[in-house]
């Protein structure tokens, strides 16, 4: 009888441990969180010349999870399948210039917006293009599965007027296509456009016409309590000046909006 009890207890412990391991696979725990990023999205998150992951969102995420006492791991994912990566628990949140949209709200739970953004068009200065109307018959480059693609789909008249749409895995490849003359313009986030032109000393311009005004947020699975923890911590970091400091380091001023 005693031997049977010992065997039963051992079996229960094995089953319990196995269940815990399965339950924690690919999901946040009390000590670790996996953040899904697009590592080609400067200045929000990108690989520098030393192949290190850096950026505004990277610094903010590190500050948030340090304050929460959690270890953070950044995982570069297919941004075109980001919601699937989140909901299959490959990552615990999406944090890399992630635009809040009504369609995405149906799939994920967003934090409060922490930064404003817009979708804009970049062209070479010598092109002479001054407005969206000048792009009629021209080729436009953009990142597939991005907010730029969503904005273009909403701008039916502009989309119909184009001579072609060249889609790439990231914005840097789209810029390379513009540089090579294969595309006439690039549609992307304004924060990325401004940063890239400035840091690379490009003789390019951003057209005044904007396709969409947006806001960035952090995306979580539905009913994940991690959302509220991160949201509250972002507000605390806004109140104590941490967000303003990080923003000034990357943008020259405080461009954050949460807690204001």
């Amino acid at each position: 009888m005693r031997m049977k009890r010992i065997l039963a207890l051992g079996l229960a412990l094995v089953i319990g441990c196995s269940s815990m391991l399965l339950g924690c696979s690919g999901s946040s725990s009390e000590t670790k969180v996996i953040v899904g990023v697009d590592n080609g999205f400067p200045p929000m998150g990108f690989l520098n010349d030393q192949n290190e992951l850096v950026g505004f969102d990277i610094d903010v995420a590190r500050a948030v999870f340090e304050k929460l006492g959690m270890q953070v791991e950044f995982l570069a994912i297919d941004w075109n399948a980001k919601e699937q990566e989140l909901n299959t628990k490959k990552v615990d949140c999406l944090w890399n210039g992630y635009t809040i949209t009504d369609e995405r709200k149906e799939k994920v739970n967003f934090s409060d917006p922490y930064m404003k953004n817009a979708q804009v068009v970049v062209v070479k200065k010598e092109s002479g293009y001054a407005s969206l109307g000048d792009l009629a018959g021209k080729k436009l480059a953009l990142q597939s599965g991005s907010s730029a693609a969503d904005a273009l789909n909403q701008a039916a008249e502009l989309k119909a007027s184009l001579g072609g749409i060249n889609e790439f895995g990231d914005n840097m490849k789209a810029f390379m296509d513009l540089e090579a003359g294969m595309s006439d313009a690039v549609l992307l986030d304004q924060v990325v456009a401004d940063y890239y032109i400035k840091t690379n000393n490009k003789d390019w311009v951003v057209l005044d016409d904007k396709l969409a005004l947006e806001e960035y947020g952090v995306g979580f699975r539905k009913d994940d309590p991690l959302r509220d923890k991160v949201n509250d911590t972002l507000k605390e970091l806004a109140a104590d000046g941490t967000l303003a400091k990080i923003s000034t380091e990357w943008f020259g001023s405080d461009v954050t909006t949460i807690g204001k």
Side-chain angles (χ1 to χ4, degrees), residues 37-113:
V37 300
D38 170 4
N39 64 6
F41 198 71
M44 310 308 284
F46 63 103
L47 297 176
N48 63 13
D49 293 338
Q50 289 73 46
N51 208 37
E52 301 166 329
L53 184 63
V54 297
F56 171 78
D57 276 340
I58 306 304
D59 287 348
V60 174
R62 285 193 172 118
V64 165
F65 292 115
E66 180 180 358
K67 193 171 182 67
L68 285 171
M70 299 177 71
Q71 178 186 354
V72 59
E73 176 184 336
F74 297 97
L75 181 64
I77 60 174
D78 178 0
W79 203 247
N80 196 31
K82 51 193 171 294
E83 287 85 11
Q84 180 180 350
E85 302 275 48
L86 175 67
N87 288 316
T88 56
K89 298 188 177 182
K90 185 174 181 179
V91 298
D92 300 307
C93 63
L94 302 172
W95 196 338
N96 203 181
Y98 188 31
T99 300
I100 300 172
T101 68
D102 290 338
E103 181 181 359
R104 289 173 178 172
K105 284 180 180 179
E106 296 178 0
K107 303 174 184 177
V108 304
N109 191 14
F110 278 99
S111 69
D112 290 350

Side-chain angles (χ1 to χ4, degrees), residues 122-127 179 197 200-205:
V122 173
V123 298
K124 292 181 178 179
K125 191 173 183 180
E126 66 267 22
S127 70
E179 184 81 73
I197 292 172
N200 291 278
N201 297 313
K202 294 294 184 182
D203 194 21
W204 298 350
V205 294

